[in-house]
Amino acid sequence: SASSFNPFPVITLATVVSPSAADALAPLLPDDDADVLQEGDYTFYTLFLEDPDAPVQRIAYGLADDVLFLSSNPDTLRASLRQLGGSDEASLLESDGYNATLGTLAGGNFYGYVNYAGVAQAIEPFATGFGFDALVERVSSMLGTLNASAGVVRLLSDTVVSESVTSLNEAAGDDS
């Protein structure tokens, strides 16, 4: 995720694990160097990375019920835990982009989603004013028209199948 107040992209991975995997993972998660945090009924951990030049300085991770999480942003992980706990705050599942893309695809093992229009909205304020505003406007218009894309990968017994969907927004102004 990225937003106008935090334009650095966030990566959050979540996977459902079996009960036996959850039992095996739970004792491995606490780390002496990790900060222990709480969100609702869920405990999670954050670690500062040792490389000062790394684009991500802190990671957050945890096991909530049968979902293993890893995120490059603790606040995004908190939001995911709130959703898992039944929060009624806005979620990806309620967005037009999701419903036009990932929401139309059958289940799978791996999922990806990119909100191009959201990326444009997040970075445009930081890219303007450097003498190439026309290019920024053109790229923003293009990303707005691309709107959103999603994909799913299914691991089958004898093959790997992938499927993707892109939702266009012709009203965004890019006519190329």
Side-chain angles (χ1 to χ4, degrees), residues 6-165:
N6 183 12
F8 191 76
V10 173
I11 296 174
T12 300
L13 305 172
T15 187
V16 176
V17 296
S18 69
S20 60
D23 290 342
L25 287 168
L28 301 175
L29 294 180
D31 184 289
D32 291 340
D33 295 327
D35 292 327
V36 180
L37 302 171
Q38 195 76 25
E39 183 61 46
D41 294 333
Y42 303 113
T43 300
F44 69 102
Y45 308 90
T46 62
L47 275 174
F48 286 94
L49 303 180
E50 295 180 13
D51 183 356
D53 296 326
V56 174
Q57 295 296 310
R58 184 176 178 194
I59 61 167
Y61 62 95
L63 180 66
D65 300 331
D66 61 348
V67 181
L68 180 65
F69 288 97
L70 173 66
S71 182
S72 62
N73 183 302
D75 291 330
T76 301
L77 181 57
R78 280 187 185 280
S80 298
L81 293 172
R82 286 193 303 274
Q83 289 292 330
L84 184 65
S87 169
D88 62 356
E89 61 191 279
S91 76
L92 177 65
L93 297 176
E94 299 162 354
S95 72
D96 291 340
Y98 172 88
N99 286 307
T101 59
L102 199 55
T104 67
L105 299 174
N109 302 96
F110 300 98
Y111 302 87
Y113 175 79
V114 178
N115 178 350
Y116 295 113
V119 169
Q121 290 172 352
I123 64 172
E124 188 172 13
F126 299 96
T128 56
F130 294 104
F132 50 91
D133 289 359
L135 177 61
V136 171
E137 185 176 324
R138 172 71 176 96
V139 171
S140 291
S141 177
M142 177 197 65
L143 291 173
T145 300
L146 281 174
N147 196 30
S149 287
V152 62
V153 175
R154 296 179 199 92
L155 305 177
L156 307 176
S157 61
D158 59 345
T159 191
V160 175
V161 176
S162 66
E163 184 180 8
S164 64
V165 172

